[in-house]
Amino acid sequence: MSELDDTTVAGRVRAVQQEYAAKQNRFFILFAIIEGGLLALLGVLIYGVEVIDPDVGLWILLGVAAIGGFTMMALLMRLMTQRNTAVDQARGVTPLT
């Protein structure tokens, strides 16, 4: 049996890790598109069209960036916890709950 076989523990763990690596990549790309689009829109509203006062707009940009950072951290931590649980299940480890 080769080690790439999904019937072995190493094969199952590798498959779970690849699945979660793909999920993490999709998460980063989607988050960057949404956050970048929102920040670009705010930049246009603040400095391009001048709908929002630039002094206030700077604080809005900083607030949106901070909220986005905390949101990304929380979602990434949840994804990492799910990945660790899935890897433990693939190894046959039963977590104490």
Side-chain angles (χ1 to χ4, degrees), residues 74-96:
L75 292 174
L76 190 57
M77 292 295 288
R78 188 179 76 184
L79 184 65
M80 289 171 51
T81 303
Q82 290 173 350
R83 188 198 80 195
N84 290 340
T85 302
V87 167
D88 286 344
Q89 288 175 350
R91 287 185 179 139
V93 176
T94 307
L96 298 173

Side-chain angles (χ1 to χ4, degrees), residues 35-46:
E35 183 82 4
L38 182 60
L39 290 172
L41 177 67
L42 282 172
V44 168
L45 288 175
I46 294 168

Side-chain angles (χ1 to χ4, degrees), residues 6-93:
D6 282 343
T7 58
T8 65
V9 173
R12 289 192 309 261
V13 168
R14 189 175 303 109
V16 167
Q17 288 175 340
Q18 288 175 350
E19 175 187 350
Y20 276 90
K23 283 183 181 182
Q24 187 173 350
N25 286 340
R26 285 191 305 268
F27 166 73
F28 279 132
I29 290 170
L30 182 63
F31 194 87
I33 290 171
I34 292 171
E35 183 82 4
L38 182 60
L39 290 172
L41 177 67
L42 282 172
V44 168
L45 288 175
I46 294 168
Y47 299 109
V49 185
E50 296 182 3
V51 173
I52 301 171
D53 181 40
D55 293 333
V56 175
L58 178 64
W59 291 106
I60 293 172
L61 283 173
L62 290 174
V64 168
I67 290 170
F70 286 121
T71 303
M72 182 175 68
M73 179 189 66
L75 292 174
L76 190 57
M77 292 295 288
R78 188 179 76 184
L79 184 65
M80 289 171 51
T81 303
Q82 290 173 350
R83 188 198 80 195
N84 290 340
T85 302
V87 167
D88 286 344
Q89 288 175 350
R91 287 185 179 139
V93 176

